[in-house]
Amino acid sequence: MIQTPYLLFLGDAPDQLAAKVGQGIKDWRPENAVGQYRMPGCGADLGINDLTLEAAKAAGAKTLVIGVANRGGYISKAWKEVLVEALQLGFDVASGLHNLLRDEDELVAAARVNGRTLFDVRIPSVAYPIANGVKRTGKRCLAIGTDCSVGKMYTGLAMDAEMQRRGMKSTFRPTGQTGILITGGGVPLDAVIADFMAGAVEYLTPDNDPDHWDHIEGQGSLFHVSYSGVTMALIHGGQPDAIVLCHEPTRTHMRGLPDYDLPSLESLRDTALPMARVANPACQIVGISVNTQHLPEDEAVAYMAEVEARMGLPTVDTFRQGAARLVDAIARL
């Protein structure tokens, strides 16, 4: 088990979006976030205390969590110096990067000498089956996006929290490193061999009570040429009964792909729904979740009202407004 609380390591993250792992932990498990560690040039700020390693240790932090999801998922030499020092001071280190801690000789040696543990949460721990497409009992909701990092995880967490408040049967099912670090379990889907990804989603969302909802954490985007495969596995392996479309309206291009424009919500709807109905003919799109963090309140409200009128679906920012209207929509299915 990864020991809490955490010191969230932001390193030299270029912008706020690159620190989405740390941001997710701070937003959904604030009691586990003692502070943040930022290197010179860091462009992200979680709005919590900046602490040195020594101060964080004195404040009770037990694990340094790499709170950055950089393109390619690598550990730089500059990062490594801080991580070694953290291990020497008695921290465990946890990471969801593709560049595994256990593959870095300096970190392995420092952990061994100092009796500390390295946690790579992006290593699949189960031999997942190939998907069989058999219909499972229970209900499932999947958030899919016009792009990466538009609020799919926040949407699932918010809907699960709202259902829990209402006494409904509900579970959030993480498929990425941030969700796993928030909840303590899940499937690191983008680290699963391609042929087994859909089967891993079936494994993650097994048979359940007829009135139980699994909220499956979305990944990637069908329109993102780098990461569309993981989205397709979620759609077919998840066999969702309900889909929520997720969007961030201030983007000028796909994340990391300046030559690719974002699709419209209409394009996402018209592409995703036929694919979902291959695995579950009864699937319906029930609402839209808009990430309005970069819009002032009045512009956010006006934008969501326009989208709702255009699309004919309840449209909310689940972080600003909560997920009640989305839960109302799926409760009617």
Side-chain angles (χ1 to χ4, degrees):
M1 291 289 293
I2 300 175
Q3 295 189 80
T4 59
Y6 303 145
L7 173 63
L8 301 177
F9 174 79
L10 305 188
D12 50 5
D15 54 35
Q16 198 69 23
L17 196 54
K20 67 176 187 178
V21 177
Q23 188 72 55
I25 294 171
K26 179 257 182 181
D27 287 344
W28 292 99
R29 294 292 185 273
E31 68 277 11
N32 289 345
V34 166
Q36 63 185 5
Y37 183 102
R38 298 190 294 166
M39 297 170 61
C42 181
D45 185 355
L46 304 180
I48 57 178
N49 291 334
D50 284 294
L51 298 177
T52 64
L53 294 175
E54 292 82 1
K57 193 66 180 173
K62 299 182 183 300
T63 303
L64 183 146
V65 171
I66 296 179
V68 184
N70 54 17
R71 188 169 174 83
Y74 64 92
I75 299 171
S76 70
K77 182 179 179 181
W79 286 16
K80 217 175 296 183
E81 293 174 0
V82 178
L83 302 184
V84 167
E85 185 181 354
L87 291 163
Q88 291 170 341
L89 286 172
F91 287 91
D92 293 335
V93 177
S95 169
L97 297 172
H98 287 293
N99 183 177
L100 301 179
L101 299 171
R102 69 179 186 183
D103 291 340
E104 298 296 328
D105 293 341
E106 303 98 312
L107 302 182
V108 172
R112 183 176 61 250
V113 168
N114 294 283
R116 308 319 306 166
T117 303
L118 303 176
F119 293 96
D120 285 302
V121 302
R122 219 173 195 144
I123 298 177
S125 58
V126 173
Y128 299 115
I130 291 177
N132 58 28
V134 174
K135 179 65 177 174
R136 305 184 295 285
T137 56
K139 294 182 179 295
R140 289 156 193 88
C141 180
L142 173 65
I144 63 172
T146 52
D147 193 10
C148 303
S149 305
V150 294
K152 299 182 292 291
M153 182 189 74
Y154 276 57
T155 298
L157 283 164
M159 294 180 73
D160 174 55
E162 177 64 23
M163 283 194 166
Q164 299 281 352
R165 278 192 290 270
R166 296 186 187 193
M168 300 171 69
K169 298 175 183 177
S170 175
T171 306
F172 177 70
R173 301 294 189 181
T175 61
Q177 73 271 26
T178 309
I180 292 170
L181 285 165
I182 289 171
T183 65
V187 170
L189 193 59
D190 61 5
V192 175
I193 294 171
D195 277 0
F196 300 92
M197 285 196 299
V201 181
E202 290 185 350
Y203 174 91
L204 182 66
T205 59
D207 286 314
N208 218 313
D209 294 340
D211 57 346
H212 178 278
W213 280 93
D214 276 338
H215 296 279
I216 306 171
E217 180 186 0
Q219 299 291 336
S221 170
L222 288 172
F223 290 85
H224 199 294
V225 296
S226 303
Y227 309 119
S228 55
V230 68
T231 314
M232 195 72 257
L234 284 160
I235 290 172
H236 283 170
Q239 296 182 351
D241 299 277
I243 285 175
V244 176
L245 306 181
C246 300
H247 183 56
E248 204 278 71
T250 68
R251 299 274 176 93
T252 57
H253 56 77
M254 300 295 282
R255 175 75 170 163
L257 300 175
D259 296 329
Y260 285 80
D261 294 332
L262 262 71
S264 66
L265 283 162
E266 288 87 349
S267 293
L268 179 61
R269 174 196 64 199
D270 296 343
T271 301
L273 190 57
M275 292 181 176
R277 286 180 171 171
V278 170
N280 183 355
C283 181
Q284 296 184 41
I285 294 176
V286 296
I288 298 171
S289 176
V290 181
N291 177 351
T292 65
Q293 64 175 318
H294 298 303
L295 294 176
E297 181 72 19
D298 58 341
E299 290 183 25
V301 170
Y303 179 81
M304 288 186 286
E306 185 276 324
V307 169
E308 181 159 337
R310 192 179 84 229
M311 300 288 292
L313 291 165
T315 301
V316 300
D317 182 322
T318 57
F319 194 65
R320 274 183 165 178
Q321 301 170 315
R325 295 184 66 213
L326 299 180
V327 171
D328 288 344
I330 67 171
R332 291 191 289 265
L333 293 182

